[in-house]
Amino acid sequence: MERSKQINRRQPRGQDRKRPLWMLGLIAPMCALLPSQLVLHTGAPVFWWIGPIIVLIVIPVLDWVVGEDGANPRDEDYELLSGDRYYRWCTYLFLPIQLFGLGIASYLWAGDELTVVDKLGLAATLGFVSGIGINAAHELGHRVEHLERWLAKIALAQSGYGHFFVEHNRGHHVRVATPEDPASARLGESLWEFLPRSVSGGFRSAIRLERERLARKERGWWDIDNHILQAWAMTVVLFGTLIALFGWHILPWLALQAVIGIALLETVNYVEHYGLLRARRSNGRYARCSPRDSWNSDRLVTNIFLFHLQRHSDHHANPGRRYQTLRSSAQAPQLPAGYATMVVLAAVPPLWRIVMDHRVLAHYNGDITLANVQPRKQGRLRATLAYRRATG
């Protein structure tokens, strides 16, 4: 009851009390600019790892200290908030900072001043920036404006994950919280099982969806209108330019940061829909996506850094809403912590199962048949549930 009251608290008319905070989201791409200066002024090489430190340690601690947001925008202010270009610039500015940081990192990778461990730390930092950059691309890619859709493809260039532009919008949003969606994790499925399934499944789905779209327009795969090739071409241009400037020996570091960025994105995917399954209608088709089909968290700090990604239920129900207008819902299942903390838990499958499996079952009032279950784990999960019921 207390939570229902909290998330239904409305903001003052025409105001967004978080408005000045959204620019703090630019701290994420700035992580790529900070290491060299921090190491220079402190002499501590640990700051090459500033990206993982901020995302995996600092933000979870701040989430715990600051707590939940608890305020939803007023419906009457939707148009006012949507039309305010300040919020767009918070995402637009992410891109030049992100790319400038990648250029600085490439210069440092090309030199001999850093040890291999230092370069690994820098690659990890750039990888976390790349992963959060995919989230910026996610926000931009849902827009109908051509500029923002092109900016989404540019934001994906650093990770080389350009097909996400197609798969997320036309694949994931259609099949979310069903066994057919590679980006929806199943109850009993570990992160390490999920990652290869989601990466490979999303890739194949994006290729198929784009082929079908082009075929409907009577165009071939190599047509200039191919969204996937457009996005991949930006990666080729970006990496090619950096290699031309700094040499081929930066290529392994570029590849490593891209892999880390992709892994971070897919880990967030794992958290967002773990074990959740959309209901079926009488005709056998899945019901429309509802707030019950995404894990939410209203932790303020992570929401600022991820442009309200944690209000994921409203995003799936209304993908055209800009991030500043997304609302928290009492119907949505709630995570015990912010996404940043849950990413850490997901990396340790036994710990993740202890924290999350009983929450999935509670969401469905103990009926495991209503959950999206890993097929080969159904027997074990049902036996565990029966044992828990028998032992009280």
Side-chain angles (χ1 to χ4, degrees), residues 88 92 140-154 165 217 225 227 230 234 322:
R88 303 187 193 189
Y92 294 171
L140 293 164
H142 275 289
R143 310 284 70 87
V144 296
E145 291 83 353
H146 288 297
L147 170 63
E148 292 182 87
R149 291 169 68 83
W150 276 103
L151 290 176
K153 295 171 187 174
I154 294 172
F165 179 86
K217 299 176 72 173
D225 188 42
H227 292 309
Q230 289 171 356
M234 292 181 183
R322 292 183 179 273

Side-chain angles (χ1 to χ4, degrees), residues 102-368:
L102 182 62
I104 291 176
S106 296
Y107 168 78
L108 294 169
W109 286 323
D112 299 323
E113 294 83 4
L114 304 187
T115 66
V116 172
V117 174
D118 292 342
K119 289 183 179 182
L120 283 171
L122 184 58
T125 291
L126 267 292
F128 275 72
V129 171
S130 180
I132 298 173
I134 298 176
N135 180 57
H138 164 258
E139 170 64 24
L140 293 164
H142 275 289
R143 310 284 70 87
V144 296
E145 291 83 353
H146 288 297
L147 170 63
E148 292 182 87
R149 291 169 68 83
W150 276 103
L151 290 176
K153 295 171 187 174
I154 294 172
L156 290 166
Q158 181 174 338
S159 61
Y161 219 49
H163 63 278
F164 174 85
F165 179 86
V166 170
E167 165 57 18
H168 179 81
N169 294 331
R170 306 208 313 265
H172 176 60
H173 269 263
V174 173
R175 301 181 300 244
V176 63
T178 71
E180 290 77 28
D181 180 31
S184 293
R186 301 161 181 168
L187 179 64
E189 181 179 32
S190 75
L191 172 64
W192 309 110
E193 293 172 304
F194 170 80
L195 286 175
R197 182 174 72 84
S198 184
V199 171
S200 61
F203 177 82
R204 291 193 303 269
S205 174
I207 298 296
R208 177 179 57 80
L209 288 168
E210 190 63 2
R211 283 191 187 280
E212 291 173 353
R213 185 187 73 86
L214 291 169
R216 288 194 298 270
K217 299 176 72 173
E218 298 183 345
R219 296 185 179 186
W221 175 256
W222 298 104
D223 191 271
I224 195 171
D225 188 42
N226 186 317
H227 292 309
I228 294 177
L229 294 185
Q230 289 171 356
W232 286 348
M234 292 181 183
T235 297
V236 171
V237 170
L238 175 61
F239 284 18
T241 300
L242 292 172
I243 289 170
L245 290 172
F246 303 112
W248 280 100
H249 47 290
I250 70 166
L251 183 57
W253 303 109
L254 291 174
L256 178 59
Q257 63 83 29
V259 168
I260 293 171
I262 292 167
L264 180 61
L265 163 77
E266 295 291 357
T267 303
V268 172
N269 276 340
Y270 177 81
V271 169
E272 287 171 338
H273 304 284
Y274 177 76
L276 301 181
L277 180 66
R278 276 153 58 190
R280 284 188 183 271
R281 299 192 180 106
S282 57
N283 61 7
R285 294 187 176 184
Y286 290 107
R288 188 176 185 272
C289 191
S290 78
R292 292 175 54 81
D293 302 321
S294 304
W295 288 101
N296 282 228
S297 172
D298 212 25
R299 300 283 176 166
L300 177 61
V301 176
T302 301
N303 262 338
I304 292 296
F305 273 83
L306 295 182
F307 299 112
H308 263 163
L309 182 67
Q310 296 180 134
R311 293 185 170 183
H312 209 58
S313 291
D314 198 21
H315 167 68
H316 271 282
N318 303 282
R321 276 184 173 264
R322 292 183 179 273
Y323 69 90
Q324 66 271 24
T325 68
L326 291 175
R327 302 154 297 183
S328 190
S329 169
Q331 299 176 23
Q334 298 297 316
L335 293 167
Y339 279 11
T341 303
M342 301 310 294
V343 163
V344 177
L345 296 179
V348 187
L351 184 57
W352 173 263
R353 288 195 295 270
I354 290 171
V355 172
M356 287 302 298
D357 282 10
H358 71 93
R359 285 182 164 84
V360 176
L361 293 173
H363 181 58
Y364 295 113
N365 296 317
D367 189 349
I368 196 172

Side-chain angles (χ1 to χ4, degrees), residues 65-86:
V65 171
V66 175
E68 295 194 349
D69 180 351
N72 279 334
R74 292 159 38 100
D75 292 340
E76 303 93 305
D77 296 329
Y78 174 76
E79 295 296 336
L80 180 66
L81 289 171
S82 296
D84 190 337
R85 299 191 69 85
Y86 164 81

